[in-house]
Amino acid sequence: MRAALASRLRGIGRYAIVGDCRSAALVSDDGSVDWLCWPRFDSDAIFAALLDGGKGGRFAIRPAADFRVERAYAERSNVLLTRFSSPGGSAVLTDFMPVQTEEARARILRPDHELVRILRCDRGEMRFEAVFDPRPRFARREVELRDRRNLGVRCLTRDGLLTLRAEEPFAPHGDSARASFVLRAGETRTFAISFEEEGPSVLPGLGDDCRAALDRTLDFWQTWASRTVYDGPYRDAVVRSALTLKLLAYAPSGAIVAAPTTSLAERPGGSLNWDYRYCWLRDAALTSRALFGLGHRDEAEAFVSWLLTAASTDWPRVHVLYDVFGRPPPEERELPHLRGYEGARPVRVGNAARSQLQLDLYGELIGSVRYFVEHGGELDGAARRMLAGLGRAVRDMWRQPDHGIWEERGECKRFTHSRVMCWAALDGLVHLARLGIELRKPVESFAAVRDLIRDEIEERGYDRALRSYTRVFGGPDVDASLLLLPWYGYVDASAPRMHSTFDRIRRELGLGGPLFKRYQGPLTEGEGAFGICSFWAAEYLALGGGSLEEATALYEAAIGYANDVGLFAEEILPETGEALGNFPQGFTHVGVVNAALTIEERRKGSARPARAAGVAR
């Protein structure tokens, strides 16, 4: 375990995550479950103290007196261990969500959704206090807890039945229940909350049943993690990132949510607060490369299958984001009754980006399919027809202004990155045709438009006076997403135009050490460094834009900004290293993985890593 005083862990970095590949809970360093949405990642919150410490609700188990804390995940797992220590004693709190495989469901009766907390004293004695304070529907519904004796403390929500079972008696007082107890060396107490969508059922016991569930859950995560093929020097960071991505994957569909939270501020105390509990197509090719590159083929194929299903609903127009079932997310709305994380308002659910035009999505989607095919995947006739339709859409729309990768709200612009991704989409289709994928349309037309796009990018998206590719056509500034141009095969990392572009990005967007802003503009004013940009920079260097030593130094500095259990948010506050934005952020962890894979390929002397789109020029 990595030790830290509770006071040293600040802000969002105080949290760790547990989950079961359908939903997730955030647990603070002092033992409080401050965030949990059931039954899915995007369901209404049952505990939301993360967004309002007074109204949001929590399930806390913590020592009654001052304590120190150490915490870690059990080796190669998403089972969280938190050790509380005081002069008089110490105890370990184990938090996990039992993972329900189909085989386990057939053999073992457990609730549909469950969070188990096992507290064991291993030295001296300690007094603990516990509070069970559910606030269904983001604290918009009043609850009354009822003690059903041996059935536990229960309350009805709009979606199902929430039950607390515990080996210590909880006394309900209206809308919360509390317990106070002493543990001595060798003693254990087990607590479990469950959520049943179909109403009450017979629940398993505590004690031995929950310890058996812990053993099965540990085995599940450790067996899965052992299949990670990466064997480079950053294995701990890579495996933690892989486990985080697996946890964010919705098992019934294969979708991967961007983060399990909403409205965690990107600008401290500000209004850059968005709902990230959905699946963004902009992450597609990067995520596919990470999963295939790590050897997690089942998850990669399930993700691509979900992508194709989601995109098939409205093609040739595709949406920016979808819910876990491949449907457009709900309209964005605000929850004014919640104070917001550290006072940052508004709290939002749903996401207005659903209606934006982002042309980069086509390159991401087609790039993801390319990885799938290159790894032996097969496409049916419907998928081939859809790909051809997406190519025609790019052919017809690539000149249009759009909202871009960063989803600016307001006027559309002609972003260079978006044009490059249109190039990547058509180049990907040409490459798929070379692999034998019959698209039933003349691929030559896609190749001709691809080359036309390149000509325009080189003429209007590169400023000869600045010696840099620019954020928008004819604009004076840069954008960190330009670091991806070599990744997609548009230009070689060692090309003079990329060298000078990287130098300008480092000068204009660098924030010291490995940290970068994504771009300069009103939307980014006051926000932190964007986490994945550090890993894009490291990967750019590893692709040939610099030396291996430069790439590894930048990468090692960047992974040092993870919290004590190896998790990243979307952004980093440069002054303190504090995490900002929704947490944990899958996109940042994708960056951790891809940069490590590319560095290792460079170390082993691979000519070029596999990427999403064609041959660099």
Side-chain angles (χ1 to χ4, degrees):
M1 291 185 175
R2 294 172 60 187
L5 284 170
S7 61
R8 285 178 55 196
L9 294 173
R10 293 194 286 180
I12 297 164
R14 295 181 56 223
Y15 289 91
I17 187 173
V18 296
D20 62 358
C21 303
R22 289 178 294 172
S23 61
L26 264 59
V27 186
S28 70
D29 62 314
D30 62 353
S32 182
V33 177
D34 286 350
W35 182 257
L36 174 60
C37 299
W38 262 340
R40 300 186 311 276
F41 292 109
D42 60 345
S43 299
D44 287 350
I46 290 173
F47 303 120
L50 192 63
L51 297 179
D52 192 317
K55 297 178 183 176
R58 57 171 53 87
F59 177 28
I61 300 172
R62 58 169 64 101
D66 290 342
F67 61 93
R68 293 174 59 90
V69 63
E70 303 169 85
R71 62 179 184 175
Y73 285 104
E75 184 180 5
R76 295 177 291 112
S77 82
N78 283 316
V79 173
L80 179 66
L81 309 176
T82 304
R83 176 180 294 278
F84 302 115
S85 301
S86 69
S90 64
V92 175
L93 178 63
T94 301
D95 284 310
F96 68 99
M97 285 187 178
V99 178
Q100 299 284 2
T101 64
E102 292 302 321
E103 179 183 359
R105 285 179 188 277
R107 295 186 296 105
I108 302 162
L109 176 67
R110 295 212 72 83
D112 292 335
H113 310 277
E114 189 175 26
L115 170 65
V116 177
R117 317 192 75 185
I118 301 173
L119 182 65
R120 177 177 177 80
C121 182
D122 56 12
R123 177 178 63 84
E125 67 175 41
M126 298 185 76
R127 175 170 290 278
F128 285 87
E129 295 176 346
V131 58
F132 177 61
D133 187 21
R135 292 287 184 272
R137 297 189 63 196
F138 289 100
R140 289 177 297 179
R141 175 175 173 173
E142 294 184 3
V143 299
E144 183 177 355
L145 301 182
R146 298 183 181 275
D147 187 356
R148 298 300 188 185
R149 298 182 182 178
N150 61 326
L151 297 179
V153 177
R154 292 183 160 183
C155 76
L156 285 172
T157 75
R158 179 176 66 173
D159 299 313
L161 180 67
L162 182 68
T163 303
L164 165 68
R165 294 171 291 131
E167 292 181 326
E168 281 290 338
F170 276 68
H173 296 284
D175 57 5
S176 66
R178 298 176 182 273
S180 179
F181 55 95
V182 174
L183 274 188
R184 297 175 177 83
E187 294 181 340
T188 299
R189 297 291 186 273
T190 303
F191 310 81
I193 56 173
S194 59
F195 185 80
E196 299 163 275
E197 298 174 73
E198 302 300 325
S201 63
V202 177
L203 296 175
L206 298 170
D208 291 343
D209 284 344
C210 285
R211 283 187 285 275
L214 172 60
D215 291 341
R216 289 191 297 272
T217 300
L218 279 169
D219 181 69
F220 171 85
W221 289 119
Q222 290 170 348
T223 298
W224 186 87
S226 70
R227 302 190 187 112
T228 303
V229 299
Y230 174 83
D231 60 356
Y234 310 114
R235 184 170 173 81
D236 286 349
V238 169
V239 170
R240 175 52 47 204
S241 291
L243 283 164
T244 303
L245 291 173
K246 174 64 173 174
L247 192 152
L248 296 178
Y250 185 69
S253 70
I256 300 176
V257 298
T261 57
T262 181
S263 301
L264 298 185
E266 297 170 17
R267 177 189 296 145
S271 60
L272 300 182
N273 316 319
W274 319 113
D275 192 348
Y276 272 27
R277 299 172 300 150
Y278 306 108
C279 316
W280 266 255
L281 290 196
R282 73 169 186 200
D283 306 352
L286 295 161
T287 301
S288 296
R289 191 274 172 124
L291 293 172
F292 278 120
L294 292 175
H296 292 298
R297 185 186 180 99
D298 289 346
E299 286 71 24
E301 291 187 346
F303 177 59
V304 175
S305 177
W306 174 84
L307 285 171
L308 292 171
T309 300
S312 69
T313 57
D314 290 311
W315 72 272
R317 178 70 183 266
V318 293
H319 296 286
V320 174
L321 64 156
Y322 296 84
D323 73 6
V324 294
F325 295 117
R327 304 170 304 201
E331 294 283 353
E332 185 174 287
R333 65 190 190 279
E334 298 180 1
L335 303 180
H337 67 287
L338 294 178
R339 177 176 177 270
Y341 176 78
E342 295 189 348
R345 289 183 173 179
V347 172
R348 295 182 171 100
V349 293
N351 199 300
R354 69 197 291 272
S355 60
Q356 288 187 350
L357 174 64
Q358 293 182 29
L359 294 177
D360 58 303
L361 306 180
Y362 292 90
E364 287 287 346
L365 178 56
I366 292 169
S368 186
V369 173
R370 173 179 167 174
Y371 272 115
F372 173 73
V373 172
E374 288 179 337
H375 285 80
E378 297 183 358
L379 301 175
D380 61 21
R384 296 178 188 217
R385 286 190 295 273
M386 182 180 70
L387 288 172
L390 296 177
R392 292 193 300 272
V394 172
R395 182 192 64 195
D396 296 340
M397 295 194 303
W398 70 270
R399 283 192 171 94
Q400 293 184 26
D402 73 332
H403 292 92
I405 185 174
W406 306 124
E407 298 176 0
E408 290 188 47
R409 299 190 177 194
E411 181 185 2
C412 291
K413 300 174 183 176
R414 289 180 171 82
F415 293 102
T416 300
H417 173 266
S418 295
R419 303 321 116 181
V420 170
M421 294 308 296
C422 289
W423 176 94
L426 298 179
D427 191 70
L429 292 175
V430 171
H431 186 79
L432 286 170
R434 293 196 193 110
L435 295 175
I437 302 300
E438 175 57 58
L439 299 176
R440 300 184 180 180
K441 289 292 176 185
V443 175
E444 293 78 10
S445 68
F446 293 152
V449 176
R450 174 200 62 184
D451 295 342
L452 180 62
I453 295 172
R454 168 180 283 281
D455 290 342
E456 183 141 341
I457 292 170
E458 294 303 308
E459 179 62 30
R460 303 184 61 197
Y462 182 85
D463 189 300
R464 290 175 174 79
L466 296 175
R467 300 182 63 244
S468 176
Y469 289 103
T470 55
R471 181 166 168 258
V472 299
F473 279 8
D477 54 355
V478 291
D479 181 327
S481 65
L482 298 171
L483 294 167
L484 291 171
L485 269 57
W487 197 93
Y488 289 105
Y490 176 81
V491 63
D492 196 85
S494 62
R497 286 192 170 194
M498 270 310 304
H499 265 306
S500 55
T501 298
F502 178 71
D503 288 343
R504 183 161 289 275
I505 288 172
R506 189 159 45 187
R507 287 196 305 272
E508 294 189 4
L509 303 181
L511 296 173
L515 301 181
F516 294 81
K517 291 180 72 70
R518 44 184 171 152
Y519 68 94
Q520 297 281 11
L523 181 65
T524 64
E525 189 67 33
E527 75 170 12
F530 209 79
I532 197 172
C533 297
S534 298
F535 299 105
W536 288 347
E539 191 164 13
Y540 163 76
L541 294 169
L543 284 168
S547 68
L548 179 61
E549 291 71 22
E550 289 176 295
T552 56
L554 198 155
Y555 184 84
E556 289 170 5
I559 60 175
Y561 282 92
N563 76 348
D564 60 317
V565 290
L567 300 177
F568 284 93
E570 185 173 42
E571 300 189 9
I572 299 160
L573 190 63
E575 296 80 4
T576 64
E578 182 179 336
L580 297 173
N582 286 300
F583 181 83
Q585 176 71 222
F587 205 32
T588 312
H589 285 281
V590 165
V592 172
V593 171
N594 282 335
L597 291 172
T598 299
I599 288 171
E600 188 62 13
E601 287 161 346
R602 173 83 174 267
R603 190 188 305 276
K604 291 179 177 179
S606 300
R608 295 186 64 85
R611 295 193 299 281
V615 178
R617 301 186 180 187

